[in-house]
Amino acid sequence: MFYGYSVLKMNSVGEGCTDRKREYDQCFNRWFAEKFLKEDRSGDPCTEMFKKYQHCVQKAIKEKNIPIDGVEFMGPNKEKPDS
């Protein structure tokens, strides 16, 4: 029998950023499923949402005095560093 599953939805580091995170997550998941997996690499409709979310998170990190020295952040148009 199939009981279904629940998807874990994590909140953002800043309470005020959680809605932006969820909007970005929805956009990314839709783009990934409907475009990327079908090899359509044209455009990224989520870039602006990501930038707004990223700005919110950076502000929250600063306000909470979370140490981030030496941490490199990824985002749109940034390549993953070699391991």
Side-chain angles (χ1 to χ4, degrees):
M1 180 172 204
F2 179 74
Y3 292 99
Y5 66 94
S6 77
V7 176
L8 177 64
K9 293 185 180 183
M10 295 178 62
N11 289 336
S12 181
V13 68
E15 285 184 31
C17 304
T18 298
D19 286 343
R20 288 180 188 209
K21 178 188 183 307
R22 292 208 172 113
E23 287 173 11
Y24 170 72
D25 286 348
Q26 272 187 326
C27 182
F28 176 84
N29 290 335
R30 186 172 37 253
W31 169 82
F32 188 79
E34 295 174 6
K35 301 288 184 172
F36 184 82
L37 291 178
K38 296 177 182 173
E39 297 185 16
D40 179 353
R41 306 297 198 269
S42 62
D44 180 358
C46 309
T47 300
E48 287 305 312
M49 277 184 228
F50 177 81
K51 288 179 183 178
K52 289 176 183 176
Y53 170 58
Q54 184 181 43
H55 177 75
C56 187
V57 167
Q58 288 170 341
K59 183 178 173 188
I61 286 171
K62 206 175 234 186
E63 289 171 355
K64 292 179 180 217
N65 293 317
I66 298 172
I68 57 170
D69 295 336
V71 175
E72 291 188 34
F73 293 93
M74 291 185 60
N77 305 319
K78 289 189 178 182
E79 292 187 28
K80 188 175 181 177
D82 294 332
S83 299

